[in-house]
Amino acid sequence: MACEKQTFLGVTPEAFNCLVAKATANGMPISGDSGQASQGGFTLVWNYNPEAQMLDIQCLESPFMAPCLMINAKIESMVRECTGNLEP
């Protein structure tokens, strides 16, 4: 089951590079400004617009024991860490 798409504004190229590094370190090798990657039963799709500093990201597939609420919270936490926006 696909999770809701998340859109993040104010994602600088440096913050996006940070997210790519975090995703890779967590076993999800993403590359490029847009694409799809799968690993360990998870499939993510993303589209980053560096000019608008906007990132759309969505988990399309996940193991049944990983609810969307948990997945989207993890993504949001990583974005906050990389953008320096620690507000929930």
Side-chain angles (χ1 to χ4, degrees), residues 6-11 53-57 72 75-76 79:
Q6 294 180 282
T7 298
F8 300 97
L9 303 175
V11 180
Q53 296 188 351
M54 184 171 73
L55 172 65
D56 291 324
I57 189 164
N72 282 353
I75 292 169
E76 183 179 342
V79 170

Side-chain angles (χ1 to χ4, degrees), residues 1-2 10 20-21 25-27 29 51 54 57 61 64 72 75 80-81:
M1 178 172 94
V20 169
N26 282 291
E51 291 80 27
M54 184 171 73
I57 189 164
E61 296 178 10
F64 73 93
N72 282 353
I75 292 169
R80 282 196 321 253
E81 289 173 17

Side-chain angles (χ1 to χ4, degrees), residues 29-56:
I30 68 172
S31 63
D33 287 346
S34 63
Q36 181 172 316
S38 297
Q39 183 69 29
F42 293 91
T43 300
L44 292 180
V45 63
W46 69 94
N47 184 40
Y48 175 60
N49 181 330
E51 291 80 27
Q53 296 188 351
M54 184 171 73
L55 172 65
D56 291 324

